[in-house]
Amino acid sequence: MTAKPKFVYEKNDLATIGNVDENEVDRIAECFKGRSLFITGGTGFLGKVLVEKLLRSCGELKHIYLLIRPKKGKDPQERIKDIFQNVLFDQVKQQRGEERILQQVVAIAGDVLLPGLGISEQDLATLREEVSIVYHCAATVRFDEPLRSAVFMNTRGTKYMLELAGSLKHLEFFAYCSTAYCHLHVKTLYEKPYDPPADPHKVMQACEWLSDDEVATIEKKILGDIPNTYAYTKSLAEALVVEKFKELPAVILRPSIVIPIWKEPIPGWTDNINGPTGLLIGAGKGVIRTMYCKSSGYGDFLPVDVAVNGILVASWRNITAGTDNTNRVAHMTSSNDIKVSWAEIIELGRWVIENKVPLNGVAWYPGGSMKSNYWVHCICMILFQWMPALFVDALLWLLRYPPVLCRVQNRIFKGFEVFEYYANNVWNFDNSEAVKLRKLMNNKERRTYVIEKIELDLIDYFTNCVLCARRLILKESDESIPAARRHMKVMWVVDKVYKGIWLFGILYMLYRCFFAS
């Protein structure tokens, strides 16, 4: 059992917040009072947390209109009811009542892939008369999305949204949720627009003319040095928003890598296994044992509730001061305040899974390490990921169960192609706007919409992340944790025996080569 890792950060801005004066007014909640909002991507990870926070902390708003595609035979309003069954909304439902919430949150049937967003004339008339705040969060976050699909979703979808925004009679704020990782050629990203890699209108036009196969054949040439279609199409979309700066009260918000909830309403909550959560689960299940990565490097991670707080604070600032008097680009990033290296993440995750929250059905005992040499990483991947996967799948086949681990390893291999680019490069992000906003907020607002350097106990945070992933994604009950610990001990023995056999085989071969003759 490894020693508990310790990470201490000298400064904590939250500790400097004074007591809340009972006469202090939540100006951010007041800003949303009586207003109607239109949100795309409200069914996604960030979107759900945004909707929940608005309902819980800014509950006197008039309506939240969500653009939702009809799906699986259900109309959009039924899908909203299904979304509210998620445990994420339990607190706000207890606080305000589900019936009241369903009156405030209204589905608008449509799709960002369709001209005019596929919205009916009746719904368009409602939006044009009522909506004054728009959040465009919809996007495909698949890094390996075919270019043509990514252009239609991320870039052309933004064009359609800007056209709709221009038709709203009372528009006061349009926020495009971009990403801090969309201008990868810039190693220090400032809160300003950057030139796109190509003319977005010409790229959209070309994708409309050509077929999927035709675009796929020239995809690498189009992307150039940009490693994936996500970064490429998000940077194009930013350029479309910048074009409308003189016509619309539009801003660009750039959150970094959004990770599970830190504090509210459910610590550790997530609805996906992207990013660090996927690494934790893969390592905890024993199927990820080596990574090609600079251990001293770091990514910029931001808990989703802090990102949402930043969105709401930026909205308040721009609405009250006017976009002509504010910076039109704002970052929601953390690395200027807290840096956690890849090595620290791995050490923390391993300790939590080994000592606090083991996972069920571990394929192999968690272990391995980061490699700074690519070829050493490849050798270790063959020896400690692919060969155990082949061994376990062979056993499953003999026992007449379907083999699974080789398929899992193939998915991991493809995922690493994306991860390794980001893990072996470091970017820095200016967050001057967040620093300015903190100084404008009163104590009540600073505690309700935390965008400070947070008091983050990383052990507790990772424990909550693994527990929520266990319960909500893997569907593993807490009652199974003792059995998971016993299985982990068995896999520890299997791991040692496997390594011992390999060591014996290598030593025996060396002996035969140098001494037997």
Side-chain angles (χ1 to χ4, degrees):
M1 189 174 289
T2 56
K4 183 176 180 179
K6 295 181 180 180
F7 301 96
V8 179
Y9 301 100
E10 295 178 358
K11 186 180 178 184
N12 169 27
D13 288 350
L14 273 188
T16 67
I17 298 178
N19 294 326
V20 176
D21 188 326
E22 62 180 15
N23 294 319
E24 285 181 331
V25 176
D26 183 344
R27 294 169 296 172
I28 297 168
E30 285 292 313
C31 175
F32 287 93
K33 187 175 180 179
R35 295 179 184 272
S36 290
L37 295 69
F38 181 50
I39 301 175
T40 68
T43 60
F45 177 48
L46 177 72
K48 285 193 193 114
V49 180
L50 174 60
V51 170
E52 194 278 338
K53 180 67 173 181
L54 283 165
L55 291 170
R56 180 162 46 85
S57 298
C58 309
E60 293 189 60
L61 52 79
K62 186 178 180 182
H63 286 118
I64 298 175
Y65 293 102
L66 297 183
L67 184 73
I68 297 183
R69 289 178 298 171
K71 192 176 182 181
K72 296 180 180 177
K74 293 183 179 180
D75 66 45
Q77 199 63 35
E78 284 183 300
R79 288 192 63 196
I80 285 181
K81 291 180 182 179
D82 290 343
I83 291 167
F84 284 146
Q85 298 311 305
N86 193 296
V87 293
L88 175 71
F89 294 94
D90 285 355
Q91 182 177 328
V92 72
K93 284 193 294 186
Q94 292 172 4
Q95 173 185 313
R96 306 191 58 245
E98 186 172 2
E99 185 176 344
R100 170 61 179 150
I101 289 170
L102 287 172
Q103 290 173 351
Q104 286 183 293
V105 182
V106 180
I108 298 291
D111 191 333
V112 296
L113 294 174
L114 299 176
L117 304 172
I119 301 175
S120 70
E121 284 300 324
Q122 182 179 351
D123 285 340
L124 276 174
T126 300
L127 296 177
R128 285 168 179 157
E129 290 295 332
E130 285 197 28
V131 169
S132 59
I133 300 173
V134 176
Y135 295 111
H136 179 38
C137 306
T140 174
V141 296
R142 279 184 53 194
F143 284 71
D144 61 348
E145 187 80 51
L147 177 60
R148 189 167 183 263
S149 299
V151 166
F152 288 163
M153 182 72 177
N154 295 346
T155 308
R156 193 177 66 177
T158 301
K159 174 178 175 286
Y160 291 155
M161 276 298 299
L162 290 164
E163 291 170 351
L164 172 69
S167 72
L168 302 179
K169 295 180 180 180
H170 310 291
L171 182 69
E172 293 186 69
F173 182 69
F174 176 97
Y176 171 61
C177 288
S178 184
T179 171
Y181 286 93
C182 69
H183 299 287
L184 300 174
H185 63 291
V186 182
K187 291 302 181 181
T188 298
L189 195 76
Y190 292 96
E191 293 172 300
K192 66 177 186 178
Y194 287 87
D195 291 335
D199 183 329
H201 299 283
K202 291 181 178 178
V203 173
M204 288 186 290
Q205 194 174 51
C207 288
E208 289 167 347
W209 285 346
L210 301 174
S211 67
D212 288 336
D213 291 340
E214 288 170 330
V215 174
T217 59
I218 56 174
E219 180 174 310
K220 288 185 178 180
K221 186 175 182 180
I222 293 173
L223 294 181
D225 295 333
I226 299 175
N228 55 70
T229 59
Y230 177 72
Y232 182 81
T233 55
K234 294 291 276 186
S235 62
L236 294 179
E238 278 199 7
L240 294 176
V241 178
V242 172
E243 287 179 358
K244 296 294 183 179
F245 274 178
K246 292 183 179 180
E247 302 172 32
L248 299 175
V251 302
I252 295 170
L253 306 177
R254 292 184 184 141
S256 57
I257 302 169
V258 182
I259 57 176
I261 286 175
W262 158 58
K263 189 176 182 181
E264 293 180 330
I266 301 174
W269 180 89
T270 186
D271 66 353
N272 63 72
I273 57 171
N274 299 329
T277 303
L279 290 177
L280 281 175
I281 292 175
K285 291 282 189 179
V287 295
I288 297 177
R289 308 185 64 78
T290 179
M291 289 190 292
Y292 172 52
C293 177
K294 294 178 181 177
S295 59
S296 60
Y298 58 87
D300 194 298
F301 302 102
L302 193 68
V304 63
D305 50 330
V306 180
V308 164
N309 290 338
I311 290 172
L312 298 186
V313 174
S315 304
W316 160 69
R317 174 60 177 161
N318 280 276
I319 291 169
T320 55
T323 49
D324 290 338
N325 302 310
T326 58
N327 195 346
R328 308 289 283 267
V329 181
H331 290 170
M332 284 85 182
T333 56
S334 66
S335 56
N336 278 353
D337 294 326
I338 297 177
K339 287 184 174 69
V340 184
S341 70
W342 295 109
E344 289 173 329
I345 289 175
I346 294 300
E347 185 181 351
L348 279 162
R350 179 184 296 160
W351 189 89
V352 167
I353 289 171
E354 287 179 354
N355 297 276
K356 299 194 75 171
V357 192
L359 303 175
N360 290 350
V362 171
W364 209 269
Y365 187 76
S369 63
M370 293 181 176
K371 313 295 187 302
S372 58
N373 184 290
Y374 179 74
W375 297 111
V376 172
H377 160 71
C378 290
I379 292 169
C380 289
M381 179 174 277
I382 293 169
L383 292 178
F384 302 119
Q385 288 188 196
W386 279 105
M387 293 193 70
L390 287 166
F391 174 72
V392 172
D393 275 359
L395 288 178
L396 290 173
W397 182 77
L398 289 172
L399 296 170
R400 297 187 177 181
Y401 290 103
V404 294
L405 281 188
C406 285
R407 188 169 68 250
V408 169
Q409 286 300 332
N410 190 49
R411 291 179 63 185
I412 290 171
F413 179 76
K414 290 181 179 178
F416 273 0
E417 291 180 348
V418 173
F419 169 77
E420 287 168 2
Y421 176 85
Y422 291 92
N424 289 288
N425 290 279
V426 173
W427 291 267
N428 295 302
F429 304 100
D430 173 46
N431 67 338
S432 301
E433 286 302 306
V435 174
K436 291 178 188 176
L437 289 172
R438 293 169 191 169
K439 295 176 182 178
L440 296 173
M441 299 164 70
N442 63 40
N443 289 342
K444 183 173 185 178
E445 293 159 352
R446 289 173 71 190
R447 289 188 179 276
T448 306
Y449 312 93
V450 177
I451 57 172
E452 319 272 336
K453 189 178 296 184
I454 55 181
E455 186 179 358
L456 182 62
D457 184 316
L458 291 173
I459 292 291
D460 287 347
Y461 178 71
F462 273 65
T463 301
N464 289 329
C465 289
V466 177
L467 275 172
C468 280
R470 209 178 186 282
R471 295 165 181 163
L472 304 177
I473 297 175
L474 301 177
K475 307 299 181 184
E476 299 176 1
S477 67
D478 291 356
E479 288 76 15
S480 66
I481 289 178
R485 285 201 179 99
R486 292 192 294 271
H487 181 67
M488 187 76 79
K489 291 177 182 178
V490 171
M491 295 312 298
W492 181 86
V493 174
V494 172
D495 181 61
K496 298 303 179 187
V497 169
Y498 178 81
K499 289 177 179 176
I501 291 172
W502 268 101
L503 180 60
F504 175 79
I506 291 170
L507 292 175
Y508 178 75
M509 291 298 294
L510 290 173
Y511 171 78
R512 293 284 296 177
C513 289
F514 294 103
F515 300 105
S517 58

